[in-house]
Structure formats: C-alpha cells, structure tokens
Amino acid sequence: MNQNEHTTPLIGSDGSSSLSLPGWRLPARLVWTLGAVLSLGIFGGCAVGPQYHRPAVSAPDTFRGETSAATNSLADLPWWDLYQDEILRNLIRQALTNNHDVRLALARVEHASAIAAQARAAFFPQIDYAGGAGRGQHSFLGTPVSGSSENGNPEKSSFLAVFNAAWEVDLFGRVRRGSEIARAQYLATEEARRGVTVALLGRVATAYFQLIELDQVFEIAQRTTNSFGEILRIFNERLQGGVASKLETSRTEAALASAAATIPELHRRILLKENELSVLLGRNPGPIPRATSSDLRPPDVPAGLPSALLERRPDLREAEQDLRAANAMIGLALGQFFPRIGLTTFYGRVSAELSALTSGAANAWAVAATATGPIFQGGRLYGQYRQARAAWEAASLRYQQTALSAFHEVSDALLSREQLAKIRLEQERAVRAYEDSVAVSLQRYRAGKASYYEVLESQQLLFPAETALARTRLNQLLVTVQLYAVLGGGWQLGETEGQ
C-alpha cells in the first residue's frame, strides 16, 4: 500500500501533523488553520443585543369573582371528570383526531420546524464536492483560458476532483440570533396549535350543550302544544254544552297554533346544530349522539392562581415567543454593524493527466479568510435597528395586553357563573309557581270560578318561563366551558391522556 493511502494521522519528523485519507493527504498547515478558526468561532464569539427577559405583568392575588385563590385549577383537570359524559368524551376525541383546523395548525408547526432546522444549519460548515473532466484547446473543464499559440495549440485534457468548505465565524452572534428567531417562531406556531386545540374543545363542548338545550326546548314546545290541545278540548266540550263562547275556543286555537309553529323551527335549528358539530368532528353532516339528561348541573370548579395563567394559556405563551423573536431581531440588527468573518477552503486534485490524480502528484488546496463589513449605508442599518426596537416594543405591549385580557376573561367567567347560579334559582321558583298557576286556574275554570282568560294566561306565561330556565341551564354549562378555555385548559390533556 502506498504511504499516501494511510487512513491514520501522520506525524512528520519535525513534529507537525497531517490528516490522511486513502490517497488524500491534508497538509498540516490546512489542519491547524481549520482548527484555529473553528476554535475562534466556537469559543470566542458573543451574541450582541439584549438578553431576553419576560416583561413584568401585574397579576392580581386572586381572580375577581373567586372567593379564594386555589392551588389547583380547572385547567389541570380532565373535562370528562366534570360531567361524567362518555358521549362528550368520544366526540372530543374524534375532533382532536379529525378536525381540519387542528391538522392545519399541525402542518404550520411542521413548516416552522423545518425553517428552524435550516437556521440551525448555519452553525456548521457547509461542505460540498465537485468533479469534472474535459478536453479541448485553450480550455479547462469547458471554460476558455488564454494560452500560447506555439506547438499548434494541441488539444489537452483536464481533470478535477475537489472538496469545498465554507463557514461563517459567528463572532458577534448574528447566526445565533437568526437561529433564536427561527426557534421562537417555531415555538409560537406550536403554541398557536395548542390554542387551536383549546378553542376546538370549547367549540365542541359548546355545540354539544347547545344541542342538548335545543332538545329541552323542543320537548317543552311539544308539551306546551299538548297542553293547549287539552285546554282546547275542554273549551270545545263547554262550547257544545252551551256554557262557553266561540271566543274561548278561537283564542285557545290561536295559542295552540302559535306553540305548534315553534316545533318545526326548533327541529330546523337542531339539524343545523348537528351539521355544525359534524364539521367540528371532521366528518360529513349527520346525526349526533347526545345525552338524554336535561338537568346537567355544572360542578364547583377552582380557577387556580392568576400567576399560573401566564404559563398555561397558549395565546400568552405564543405572545411571549413572538416577543422573544422580536428581542432576537434587535441582536440581529445590531450584528449587521459588525464585520462578517468567513472561512473558505478547498482540497483536491487538478491535473491535465488522469494518472496524476490517482498517483497523488496533482494535489491542490487553499485556505482563505474573508471579512466584510459596512462603512457607509446611508442610515439603512440604523433604520433596521430602530425598526427592530419598535417591533419589540409592540410585541411587549401585545404580550401585556394579552395578559390583561386573560385576567379579564377569567374574571368575567367567574362572575357570570356566580350570577347565573342565582338567576337559575329564581327561574326555577318562577316555573314552579306558573305550573301551580296553570293547575289552579284550570280547576277554577272547571268549577266556574275563573274565566278562560286566566287559564290561557297561566299557560302562556309558563312556556317562556320554562324556555328561559332551559336557556339559563345552558348558559351555566357554557360558562363552565368558557372558564375552562380562558384558563388555558385542554391542550395539556390533548397531548397526553386526552388523546
């Protein structure tokens, strides 16, 4: 075997070293130069620009509307433990798997991840290879070159085999800031995906409970229609007996028709709500299974510590990643004021004879360092720096505004939940009173102690009271869903046990 074909480092008689590959021996000067520049870039650089610090946010000790701060939170609890509804659990699982918004958000995450990987590649030397062979007059590998006209310009061959390397020495952190920006933007898309998950959980649960409420109102409308039909039958009997007038039956028949007219409208709304929920589940419109219970009571739930909201809500976390990227943009803008130091090198063989390439007699190598920097840009670089600073200020204000809105939304949900509980108690009292009124007025009418007007009025007041109670029950369920969403619940469970 030829000595040039050893694959281990060689130590010369003068103590210098060279790195050899089969038939390829790197000179000691090239090895030492590469090592020195790499060490300079890795250990000697510093990233210019401000280091990131989260802006101060004035978080309240407790949420307004919460009696005392809790150490745990509704957002940390599985939603199915609150309602014990297996149907809702299955629907949310389907939505997390098939919903197109979630899948689109995931595609955006993968897109941003690929961009971040490209930014990380700038940390490493870019190595490629080139090779070629050609034959001609006054040419080298197909490129015209000047030459002597002596000897009749004979045809010549040319051969090339070379490895190239280029690397930017990141002395001032320009590459690091660029990678930091790409990573923050990637994490922002990840938080956006989690935000889509939270919104999806809320939309599915909201549509599901609205569907149950429509079933309740539909059942109330049917029951009311049947009640008016029974009253009309009684009035017709009295009319035929000569003890009632046509006015009584006409008024009752009109009330019956009005109540009956609400049934097809409610049925239409039920079908539309099923279609809406089907789309959220990522499937074609169709019937939706649901619970038959019409008396779901939302449980008592803890809101948690306000400070934990900053770590939990995806929109806040996304805003913080945007702020982190804006902070790195300042460093990137500052880095443009400093020189760029690069290293380029190649090692290979160039020869007019193919035998010279294989024998090692046509080695070619070079190492070059470059430095480029601005002298006069007419204020362009300073303008870019001011732009980055203004973008950071805007991102900081956006983050603080998002945090303030989050505390506002949680407080609104807690206050609404508290007041809706009181409203429901009073509406339940009203429904019970109207039910008694209908029964008593009908007894009085049959006994000849009350007019038909009392019977109709009692029945007509009962219908809207029952509908309002059903609406309040729905609002209680929805405000619990809202509280779950504004606390940032759902995405943690969606990535683990919620799947």
Side-chain angles (χ1 to χ4, degrees), residues 407-442:
F407 297 135
H408 165 233
E409 291 172 357
V410 174
S411 179
D412 282 356
L414 289 170
L415 291 171
S416 297
R417 185 173 178 276
E418 178 184 4
Q419 297 305 315
L420 284 170
K422 297 177 182 179
I423 294 173
R424 175 171 176 167
L425 289 176
E426 297 303 324
Q427 287 182 337
E428 287 176 341
R429 288 179 55 193
V431 168
R432 287 194 298 269
Y434 282 132
E435 289 175 341
D436 292 341
S437 174
V438 170
V440 171
S441 63
L442 194 56

Side-chain angles (χ1 to χ4, degrees), residues 83-110:
Y83 298 103
Q84 297 295 326
D85 191 336
E86 188 64 26
I87 297 177
L88 178 59
R89 179 178 181 177
N90 290 333
L91 292 178
I92 288 189
R93 184 183 294 112
Q94 292 179 40
L96 290 174
T97 303
N98 302 324
N99 182 265
H100 286 78
D101 290 335
V102 172
R103 294 165 66 182
L104 177 59
L106 181 59
R108 290 178 179 143
V109 171
E110 294 176 352

Side-chain angles (χ1 to χ4, degrees), residues 204-416:
V204 171
T206 296
Y208 179 77
F209 290 134
Q210 287 174 338
L211 198 54
I212 292 178
E213 185 262 347
L214 286 172
D215 288 342
Q216 294 175 351
V217 176
F218 185 80
E219 187 271 334
I220 292 172
Q222 288 182 318
R223 188 172 64 248
T224 301
T225 301
N226 293 335
S227 296
F228 279 123
E230 178 63 20
I231 294 174
L232 179 61
R233 184 188 64 81
I234 295 174
F235 285 0
N236 279 326
E237 289 178 353
R238 293 176 62 85
L239 177 63
Q240 294 174 1
V243 292
S245 67
K246 182 65 175 177
L247 178 61
E248 297 178 9
T249 57
S250 298
R251 291 285 301 273
T252 306
E253 188 172 359
L256 172 62
S258 297
T262 63
I263 293 178
E265 170 61 19
L266 289 170
H267 185 61
R268 182 187 70 86
R269 293 172 57 189
I270 289 173
L271 295 178
L272 294 181
K273 188 61 64 175
E274 286 183 327
N275 290 349
E276 174 188 338
L277 192 49
S278 296
V279 172
L280 293 177
L281 300 179
R283 68 190 196 193
N284 291 327
I288 299 295
R290 50 193 177 271
T292 57
S293 173
S294 60
D295 194 24
L296 295 173
R297 288 183 177 271
D300 293 330
V301 292
L305 294 172
S307 58
L309 199 65
L310 303 178
E311 308 295 337
R312 184 183 297 114
R313 284 213 8 171
D315 59 339
L316 271 169
R317 292 158 62 100
E318 180 185 0
E320 184 172 10
Q321 292 301 332
D322 290 338
L323 180 58
R324 190 184 296 273
N327 184 80
M329 284 293 295
I330 298 176
L332 184 63
L334 284 174
Q336 303 300 324
F337 288 92
F338 296 90
R340 292 188 183 185
I341 299 176
L343 171 68
T344 59
T345 181
F346 76 84
Y347 177 74
R349 289 171 182 172
V350 181
S351 175
E353 300 294 336
L354 183 60
S355 60
L357 263 67
T358 58
S359 65
N363 288 349
W365 66 273
V367 175
T370 61
T372 60
I375 295 178
F376 178 74
Q377 299 289 324
R380 180 177 61 86
L381 297 182
Y382 184 63
Q384 291 175 350
Y385 169 72
R386 291 179 56 195
Q387 177 185 353
R389 290 288 306 181
W392 180 88
E393 291 287 348
S396 178
L397 293 173
R398 198 157 43 242
Y399 173 79
Q400 296 177 65
Q401 180 63 35
T402 303
L404 184 62
S405 298
F407 297 135
H408 165 233
E409 291 172 357
V410 174
S411 179
D412 282 356
L414 289 170
L415 291 171
S416 297

Side-chain angles (χ1 to χ4, degrees), residues 32-69:
W32 284 111
T33 303
L34 287 172
V37 177
L38 286 172
S39 300
L40 179 65
I42 294 174
F43 301 108
C46 60
V48 296
Q51 297 301 313
Y52 173 76
H53 298 286
R54 175 186 289 175
V57 175
S58 179
D61 295 331
T62 60
F63 293 110
R64 186 183 184 189
E66 187 179 25
T67 56
S68 61

Side-chain angles (χ1 to χ4, degrees), residues 462-473:
L462 176 60
F463 181 30
E466 290 179 318
T467 303
L469 177 58
R471 170 61 61 175
T472 300
R473 288 171 176 169

